[in-house]
Amino acid sequence: MKPIRESSREYLNWLENWVENLPPLSLTEPERTAVLVVDMTNGFCNEGVLSSPRVNAIVSPIVHLLENAWESGVREMYLLNDTHEPDAVEFGAFPPHCVRGSQESMPVEEIRQLSFFDHIKKIEKNSLSSTIETGLLESLNSKPDLTHFVIVGNCTDLCVYQMAMALRLDANARQIHQRSVIVPRDCVATYDTPLEVAMTIGAHPHPGDLIHAVFLQHMALNGIEVMGHVEFTG
């Protein structure tokens, strides 16, 4: 087997070009569309050990997307928020974050200030998954007219990936041909832990740009529509 570095060079060049040239998508059926916002909370954007400036940078694009969706007539909107128990099992893998009742577990102020914020459905989750022990998948499946699911938020490789794959695999297993799962590149992000920092603090390295690109492509490999940008024109 060739060394990973040698065998991956051409692929990495291709991947960079693929991510940079993802096309835009225009959605024209607001009554058949849902927008799911994953973990845009203070604990990932503004404060706490897992907050990241890379994640905070997508707050504005997501707010624009939500406003555009609402103005076009989209009414199925969901906030999927980490709201952990104080003794969450997940804290064995990640430092404590977004504990129930804390400021970290609250959606960012820019989303809370939306004029239609009270109309957005809020769902708490105690793991990376938005569909395990939350009732979300059952709720969405009870609305067969919904065919387009736009997923935004963080992290590309963690909670966004889990949400997109859950919807895609559910449709595959149940032969739902008309379901589109859509992830816009400009509204998802992941954190960055450089190798030198990881070695200093005893953590796994997490090169944000590379992981972001690899997981976008992995979602595309599974039939998820990974786009550069999404606009609503209903």
Side-chain angles (χ1 to χ4, degrees), residues 181-200:
V181 182
I182 302 158
V183 174
R185 177 201 59 208
D186 64 337
C187 288
V188 295
T190 193
Y191 68 97
D192 182 67
T193 305
L195 178 60
E196 61 273 18
V197 173
M199 293 178 68
T200 300

Side-chain angles (χ1 to χ4, degrees), residues 18-66:
W18 178 79
V19 170
E20 289 179 354
N21 291 283
L22 288 165
L25 176 67
S26 179
L27 292 175
T28 60
E29 297 181 287
E31 72 283 356
R32 301 179 68 83
T33 301
V35 178
L36 301 108
V37 183
V38 184
D39 280 339
M40 293 307 294
T41 64
N42 290 318
F44 295 112
C45 295
N46 299 313
E47 60 185 87
V49 67
L50 295 187
S51 62
S52 166
R54 296 167 62 97
V55 174
N56 191 53
I58 62 171
V59 170
S60 180
I62 288 174
V63 167
H64 172 77
L65 181 143
L66 289 170

Side-chain angles (χ1 to χ4, degrees), residues 65-104:
L65 181 143
L66 289 170
E67 291 174 333
N68 177 217
W70 184 264
E71 290 168 2
S72 77
V74 175
R75 293 297 180 265
E76 289 292 330
M77 294 184 177
Y78 299 78
L79 291 179
L80 310 164
N81 299 330
D82 260 14
T83 311
H84 289 298
E85 300 302 331
D87 61 346
V89 175
E90 186 177 296
F91 294 165
F94 297 95
H97 60 280
C98 298
V99 173
R100 182 182 301 279
S102 70
Q103 187 65 20
E104 283 189 25

Side-chain angles (χ1 to χ4, degrees), residues 59-185:
V59 170
S60 180
I62 288 174
V63 167
H64 172 77
L65 181 143
L66 289 170
E67 291 174 333
N68 177 217
W70 184 264
E71 290 168 2
S72 77
V74 175
R75 293 297 180 265
E76 289 292 330
M77 294 184 177
Y78 299 78
L79 291 179
L80 310 164
N81 299 330
D82 260 14
T83 311
H84 289 298
E85 300 302 331
D87 61 346
V89 175
E90 186 177 296
F91 294 165
F94 297 95
H97 60 280
C98 298
V99 173
R100 182 182 301 279
S102 70
Q103 187 65 20
E104 283 189 25
S105 68
M106 297 293 293
V108 294
E109 182 67 17
E110 294 89 337
I111 290 178
R112 295 203 305 272
Q113 288 299 317
L114 289 168
S115 62
F116 49 90
F117 176 74
D118 290 343
H119 297 278
I120 302 176
K121 303 171 182 66
K122 290 83 174 174
I123 294 181
E124 299 177 349
K125 61 190 183 70
N126 192 37
S127 75
L128 296 180
S129 173
S130 297
T131 59
I132 296 176
E133 296 296 319
T134 65
L136 174 64
L137 199 56
E138 295 79 3
S139 176
L140 295 177
N141 284 335
S142 72
K143 302 171 182 179
D145 288 342
L146 290 178
T147 57
H148 294 74
F149 299 86
V150 180
I151 301 170
V152 302
N154 86 100
C155 289
T156 315
D157 53 315
L158 296 168
C159 297
V160 167
Y161 173 79
Q162 294 287 342
M163 179 73 259
M165 288 296 292
L167 282 171
R168 182 66 270 155
L169 296 180
D170 176 65
N172 293 356
R174 299 195 298 116
Q175 290 290 101
I176 304 174
H177 290 279
Q178 68 272 27
R179 178 178 292 177
S180 295
V181 182
I182 302 158
V183 174
R185 177 201 59 208

